[in-house]
DNA sequence: TTCATTATGTGATAAATGTTACTGTGGATT
DNA sequence: AATCCACAGTAACATTTATCACATAATGAA
């Protein structure tokens, strides 16, 4: 475990890694697992070492609005922010690729801030990048129409998987952009006509 | 100055307040001043002691999407987040009521995190509440139609001024919600018919 | 007052998005 | 092969929002 952490979180100090090994819990989750629900109490900060997690904001009528990915080497900013005061989660986290997690009890999360410079910097960095990411989300929905938002959505998913073949159904995309399948079908068709993508069953290839 | 800070930031420790008095710069700004522009470098964290500031996300075509208010006793989360790495601002801050500010050089902002528990808690609290506020903004634009968003907008402005009489033109509201004046005029008319508001020139009264 | 300016109201129309309803297709199961 | 089912395509229509065009009203300046 120690070697793994060192590799995935290269900025963590030796002492911090020792503390993590001694105090944190490792957890495996399989694709589809929901790690955190809106309204649920948070008592751990989650660090991701393997797999992928998607973060959603839930609407009242069952909407699941996609906000951002968490990749190995990253942490869930919301779990950190809430952890400080043992707040309830404002978001929903779903595993989309079998994941390995390090769960840090919230009391330590706070304690380490004072004791480990590398932890402090990691937490602040996480806050900052997530805040900026959410601001970009605001941008998209505030200023852009659905066609542009769809393109942005596809681009982000391509970045996350590091490939140009996305295993997504139209319905999935529609749910995560809070619109309807028909709208997505139409817009994808237009993108295909513009030569940006090729469409297949459960699969969209970026060109 | 010392007494004022103690009153407005009651959780700050004595030592912290001393440090602030010794190191921070006070600044007055009048209504209409833009304190921070998108893309501008940040080298101070801003604490507000008097007045009101509105925070906007700017669109490419001159949109000014309203996100949240900063009240006395609060700080600009973005200025804190960026300050850590001397990043450029992702937002625009405009004074809407003559303001008194305490400007903390970014080097101290970071140093105090380790030295003053009350500063640390204030910063973390600021992060958390702003993050939650922005998530609520996402909610609104992702899940709600313009009529609901307008009601929410008016409610927040009533809370900010602590009264039910809002000095806003339809055009102003339209700009801050990134829509057109006509849409706002029509929706306000409907609200008036439902008995929720009464409309006047440059002035909307909530009922 | 008269004029100019800005704010507001409103109809007509266009465009984007949401909804309903139906068709077809590919793949899995039997 | 026959059946089932999730996924995708698309037409028709409703609704919401955006845009254009103008009318009217309130306010301050000359």
């Amino acid at each position: 475990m120690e070697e793994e952490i060192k590799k995935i979180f290269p900025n963590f100090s030796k002492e911090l890694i020792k503390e993590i090994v001694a105090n944190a819990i490792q957890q495996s989750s399989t694709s589809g697992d929901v790690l955190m629900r809106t309204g649920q109490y948070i008592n751990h900060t989650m660090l991701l070492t393997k797999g992928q997690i998607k973060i959603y904001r839930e609407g009242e009528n069952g909407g699941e609005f996609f906000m951002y990915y968490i990749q190995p080497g990253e942490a869930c900013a919301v779990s950190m922010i809430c952890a400080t005061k043992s707040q309830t989660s404002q978001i929903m986290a779903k595993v989309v690729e079998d994941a390995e997690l390090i769960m840090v009890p919230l009391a330590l999360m706070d304690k380490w801030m004072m004791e480990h410079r590398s932890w402090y910097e990691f937490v602040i960095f996480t806050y900052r990048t997530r805040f900026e990411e959410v601001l970009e989300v605001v941008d998209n929905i505030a200023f852009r129409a659905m066609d542009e938002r769809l393109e942005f959505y596809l681009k982000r998913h391509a970045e996350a998987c590091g490939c140009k073949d996305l295993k997504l159904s139209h319905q999935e995309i529609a749910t995560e952009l809070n619109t309807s399948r028909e709208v997505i079908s139409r817009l994808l068709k237009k993108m295909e006509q513009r030569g940006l993508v090729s469409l297949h069953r459960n699969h969209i290839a970026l060109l």
Side-chain angles (χ1 to χ4, degrees), chain A:
Chain A
M1 180 171 173
E2 201 171 320
E3 279 310 308
E4 200 192 354
I5 296 176
K6 198 176 286 176
K7 211 174 69 191
I8 296 172
F9 298 92
N11 293 324
F12 283 2
S13 71
K14 257 195 188 114
E15 301 77 46
L16 174 60
I17 292 175
K18 258 183 212 152
E19 288 245 39
I20 291 174
V21 173
N23 295 290
I25 304 153
Q26 262 201 314
Q27 184 189 311
S28 298
S29 293
T30 54
S31 182
D33 284 2
V34 174
L35 294 176
M36 205 186 273
R37 284 211 158 69
T38 307
Q40 193 179 329
Y41 271 92
I42 294 180
N43 36 30
H44 288 87
T45 293
M46 304 187 313
L47 307 187
L48 188 63
T49 55
K50 225 178 90 182
Q52 291 199 326
I53 295 171
K54 282 171 98 168
I55 302 292
Y56 300 88
R57 181 77 175 171
E58 293 187 292
E60 284 146 358
N61 0 0
E64 293 190 357
F65 186 80
F66 171 68
M67 298 216 302
Y68 54 80
Y69 268 104
I70 296 182
Q71 304 281 355
E74 298 179 349
C76 177
V78 175
S79 73
M80 289 175 162
I81 286 168
C82 297
T84 317
K85 291 271 170 182
S86 190
Q87 290 279 324
T88 60
S89 170
Q90 305 296 312
I91 51 90
M92 189 263 282
K94 194 189 278 179
V95 177
V96 293
E97 191 189 306
D98 291 1
E100 297 284 334
L101 298 150
I102 296 172
M103 311 288 280
V104 180
L106 76 96
L108 291 175
M109 141 87 199
D110 221 21
K111 188 162 164 275
W112 293 348
M113 287 292 278
M114 296 294 169
E115 296 171 1
H116 299 281
R117 184 76 194 174
S118 60
W119 176 254
Y120 168 79
E121 279 174 357
F122 176 73
V123 171
I124 296 289
F125 177 80
T126 300
Y127 282 163
R128 183 163 61 80
T129 52
R130 290 316 170 190
F131 203 92
E132 282 172 12
E133 200 147 16
V134 175
L135 286 180
E136 208 174 349
V137 170
V138 170
D139 258 25
N140 276 295
I141 36 183
F143 295 121
R144 302 195 197 290
M146 198 51 84
D147 53 349
E148 279 188 277
R149 289 174 54 196
L150 175 59
E151 288 189 36
F152 186 76
Y153 175 91
L154 295 176
K155 209 169 62 184
R156 281 210 293 174
H157 281 253
E159 279 164 15
C161 79
C163 67
K164 299 205 159 233
D165 292 290
L166 310 176
K167 287 189 175 41
L168 295 166
S169 75
H170 297 187
Q171 182 58 65
E172 250 180 291
I173 300 173
T175 305
E176 302 202 341
L177 288 171
N178 196 49
T179 178
S180 66
R181 181 190 60 80
E182 292 87 335
V183 172
I184 296 301
S185 285
R186 275 197 286 256
L187 293 175
L188 281 173
K189 230 9 177 200
K190 275 187 203 161
M191 286 182 70
E192 191 177 44
Q193 283 157 11
R194 286 198 290 147
L196 298 175
V197 294
S198 73
L199 303 177
H200 315 276
R201 188 189 178 82
N202 275 320
H203 168 213
I204 298 168
L206 303 190
L207 303 176

